[in-house]
Amino acid sequence: MPRTVTRSDQWWRSAVIYQVYVRSFADANGDGVGDLAGVRERLPYLAELGVDALWFSPWFASPQADAGYDVADYRDIDPLFGDLADAEAVITEAHALGLKVIIDIVPNHVSDQHAWFKAAVAAGPGSPERERFWFRPGRGDLPPNDWQSVFGGPAWTRVPDGEWYLHLFAPEQPDVNWNSPDTAAEHEDVLRFWFDRGADGIRIDSATMPAKDPDLADFDAANPPQPHPFIDRDAVHDIYRAWRTVADEYDPPRALIGEIWLDKPDRLAMYLRPDEMHTAFNFDYLNCAWDPKALRHVIDATIKAHVKVDAPPTWVLSNHDVTRHVTRYGRADSSFGHTTRQHTTPVDLAKGTRRARAALMLNLALPGSVYLYQGEELGLDEVDDLPAAARQDPIFFRTGGQDVGRDGCRVPLPWSGTAPPFGFSFSSAGVSPWLPQPTNWATRTAQIQSGDPESMLELYRTALRLRREHLNEAGADLDWLPGSAEVLNFTRPGGFTFLANLSDQAVPLPNASSAGSSAVEVLLASGPLTAGAVPPDTAVWLRTI
């Protein structure tokens, strides 16, 4: 008889999860690229930060055409990062520090160097090997249909025998065919391979995209049919139901976390039904501008949709695919969209940093789980001015530079010192990181911020500690308080009150009478409070006594 799942087994309901982008985290062997040995050295830093879990971007064997999201072998580690023993040591040592480990799985595609794809190309048209992918004859010299790659350009590439294969991302990332039984069996075996080694969960990349319209019909991308030919098709849920069965074989059950880019909360919630995923990234919230009405709408819609399926909402501001939020919040249009990656809008970094500090406190005050992207705890901004010769993102090349891509948020972290590589590389003086670091990061290293009570790093450490003390058992309840439409003000169980001033004027700090209590204690503020007032772009946590 299976044992009852306990609240401690459901750590993902309230966890703070830190994304480790391995190649930019810490470089132990001095080759300019982050590695797992570097991660192991820095695990105590992450434990001290106060997070609950680590999500690792792909560390598997890969030609690195798309920074590891082109997987050649899920059962091996890319030599850039180390070997399988290193990955197992990371998991073991993270667990010893009380940190869960989440790894990245990419169900939509593999590398063109994957054994399956090389066998499919060699086997020829009509072979069983090609049924694992989307090989089709063309229309004369034209591709089988008019689908376009997410990275720009056609979604089809021709092989020497004349057939074409589908790749919704780069040509080096052929889409697998989930109508093939081999595909499901292989991926379920991969899950067991890593769950057996102690992985506590998986993050599912591009989770809405594996199921395709079998007719591969042309469509107008500006006005796509419903259901969409390759996004959020109903058949995709069968994949995750099967994966949930695998996850539930383990004691405790493993967690499934989806990257789900959908603008319809009710459709997103379908992935979080009790027999599918446990949580999913909240991109509506990430995309939202620093605007009180828009933020309140997204928060309410998110909580409402998640309550229906008894799933925890998630809150995220940055990751390896989007412009860092310090930069976004410093622009006139602070929402995220591909247009913000053109870097034509001036940035007020002082304003962006002020808002980022307040946004952290908003994230951590909301019910559910929170995702942090490495370097945001240091207040890092987007590196807008990378030279073209340094860029590596396939988006930059496939769009001819019209979209500068994601390299600017992937620049290696500054740990210590006054000049690049800022302690990123441990063992080679003068080594150049794989992407160049800006010299002004000398004021944002972990070393210089540690112990400074006014720093972004210490704000994160303090906020994470206070969240654990005051909000970990608060459940899903959130009650908005009446007041100005320019102020976000709500209570949580246990006498906790949050207030963020998004107006351009200071607002009064709540007092005991307005809070209906005998006393109000300020637990934390994102910036200085002045004469009993909360300045613009400032947040405060209060406890009523």
Side-chain angles (χ1 to χ4, degrees):
M1 180 178 178
R3 73 172 178 82
T4 302
V5 176
T6 67
R7 188 74 182 180
S8 64
D9 294 333
Q10 298 181 332
W11 55 269
W12 37 268
R13 283 190 170 273
S14 60
V16 177
I17 300 165
Y18 183 102
Q19 181 186 0
V20 178
Y21 192 74
V22 176
R23 64 170 46 228
S24 295
F25 189 71
D27 167 27
N29 67 5
D31 64 357
V33 178
D35 47 46
L36 294 178
V39 172
R40 292 173 66 187
E41 286 290 325
R42 300 295 190 187
L43 284 174
Y45 165 88
L46 295 172
E48 182 184 1
L49 183 61
V51 298
D52 302 298
L54 309 177
W55 153 37
F56 289 89
S57 296
W59 56 25
F60 315 109
S62 165
Q64 302 296 321
D66 182 26
Y69 284 90
D70 49 320
V71 178
D73 186 352
Y74 276 109
R75 298 174 182 83
D76 200 5
I77 301 301
D78 196 281
L80 267 178
F81 307 138
D83 57 26
L84 187 58
D86 289 319
E88 292 171 338
V90 165
I91 295 171
T92 299
E93 292 167 18
H95 285 169
L97 291 168
L99 298 168
K100 305 290 187 184
V101 173
I102 299 161
I103 62 168
D104 225 319
I105 300 293
V106 190
N108 184 70
H109 49 264
V110 294
S111 167
D112 62 352
Q113 298 305 302
H114 192 285
W116 275 18
F117 189 73
K118 291 196 287 186
V121 172
S127 63
E129 290 84 354
R130 291 205 173 181
E131 291 303 312
R132 296 167 170 167
F133 299 91
W134 292 93
F135 279 91
R136 293 292 186 272
R139 298 180 289 192
D141 288 331
L142 297 176
N145 66 25
D146 63 358
W147 293 7
Q148 296 295 296
S149 163
V150 172
F151 286 171
W156 295 90
T157 291
R158 202 172 194 175
V159 296
D161 59 37
E163 282 203 326
W164 301 70
Y165 67 89
L166 177 67
H167 53 84
L168 290 176
F169 291 84
E172 298 87 353
Q173 296 168 290
D175 285 31
V176 294
N177 184 351
W178 278 89
N179 296 323
S180 166
D182 292 350
T183 302
E186 168 65 4
H187 282 78
E188 290 168 23
D189 191 66
V190 165
L191 298 187
R192 292 187 177 95
F193 180 89
W194 285 104
F195 291 161
D196 288 347
R197 281 161 177 75
D200 300 284
I202 60 166
R203 179 262 190 186
I204 305 166
D205 182 72
S206 302
T208 63
M209 299 178 72
K212 312 292 194 293
D213 174 6
D215 295 332
L216 300 176
D218 289 348
F219 73 100
D220 178 4
N223 187 28
Q226 297 300 322
H228 193 283
F230 55 77
I231 295 175
D232 190 34
R233 296 180 67 82
D234 288 343
V236 80
H237 296 283
D238 294 335
I239 299 171
Y240 305 127
R241 289 190 185 97
W243 287 17
R244 181 61 175 264
T245 299
V246 174
D248 286 348
E249 293 172 1
Y250 289 80
D251 184 7
R254 304 315 197 229
L256 307 182
I257 300 159
E259 182 198 26
I260 301 173
W261 286 89
L262 293 175
D263 59 5
K264 298 183 174 102
D266 288 341
R267 289 296 298 183
L268 185 148
M270 292 178 67
Y271 290 79
L272 305 177
R273 291 173 291 192
D275 60 346
E276 294 191 47
M277 300 181 195
H278 298 84
T279 70
F281 290 88
N282 186 355
F283 291 112
D284 276 358
Y285 183 75
L286 182 152
N287 291 339
C288 191
W290 187 247
D291 174 84
K293 182 178 179 181
L295 282 166
R296 180 163 176 169
H297 172 76
V298 169
I299 291 167
D300 284 343
T302 297
I303 293 173
K304 179 180 178 181
H306 285 69
V307 164
K308 290 179 181 177
V309 289
D310 190 30
T314 65
W315 314 101
V316 59
L317 295 173
S318 286
N319 64 34
H320 65 289
D321 282 334
V322 303
T323 303
R324 284 189 178 274
H325 61 275
V326 163
T327 295
R328 296 202 316 270
Y329 286 155
R331 290 193 169 123
D333 178 3
S334 55
S335 61
F336 173 73
H338 290 301
T339 55
T340 65
R341 286 207 293 244
Q342 311 317 306
H343 309 309
T344 57
T345 308
V347 178
D348 181 340
L349 283 181
K351 177 189 286 186
T353 300
R354 192 166 60 247
R355 289 176 170 181
R357 293 172 67 92
L360 167 72
M361 291 181 58
L362 172 59
N363 279 13
L364 294 179
L366 293 168
S369 56
V370 175
Y371 286 81
L372 309 177
Y373 177 48
Q374 66 178 39
E376 70 172 78
E377 79 277 12
L378 303 178
L380 299 186
D381 55 321
E382 186 83 358
V383 183
D384 284 344
D385 58 354
L386 287 170
R391 293 192 179 275
Q392 301 192 28
D393 189 348
I395 290 176
F396 176 76
F397 298 104
R398 286 185 62 81
T399 64
Q402 293 182 19
D403 186 330
V404 296
R406 304 160 292 178
D407 292 317
C409 66
R410 299 175 175 184
V411 174
L413 296 188
W415 290 98
S416 60
T418 58
F422 294 119
F424 168 69
S425 294
F426 296 173
S427 59
S428 292
V431 68
S432 295
W434 70 280
L435 285 172
Q437 300 158 305
T439 56
N440 66 2
W441 279 7
T443 61
R444 301 183 204 173
T445 66
Q447 180 184 59
I448 203 169
Q449 293 193 49
S450 187
D452 176 359
E454 305 303 318
S455 71
M456 184 75 84
L457 177 58
E458 291 301 336
L459 176 68
Y460 270 70
R461 288 173 173 169
T462 302
L464 287 165
R465 174 179 57 80
L466 290 173
R467 180 183 189 266
R468 192 183 298 269
E469 293 174 4
H470 294 278
L471 289 171
N472 255 17
E473 303 302 323
D477 292 337
L478 180 152
D479 294 310
W480 293 101
L481 296 175
S484 168
E486 300 297 309
V487 173
L488 297 177
N489 192 190
F490 58 79
T491 62
R492 300 286 312 283
F496 180 93
T497 299
F498 173 84
L499 184 148
N501 179 13
L502 279 70
S503 75
D504 58 4
Q505 300 290 326
V507 300
L509 188 69
N511 55 36
S513 60
S514 66
S517 64
S518 58
V520 173
E521 175 190 4
V522 176
L523 295 172
L524 185 65
S526 65
L529 305 179
T530 56
V534 182
D537 295 327
T538 301
V540 61
W541 288 358
L542 305 160
R543 183 171 70 96
T544 57
I545 301 171

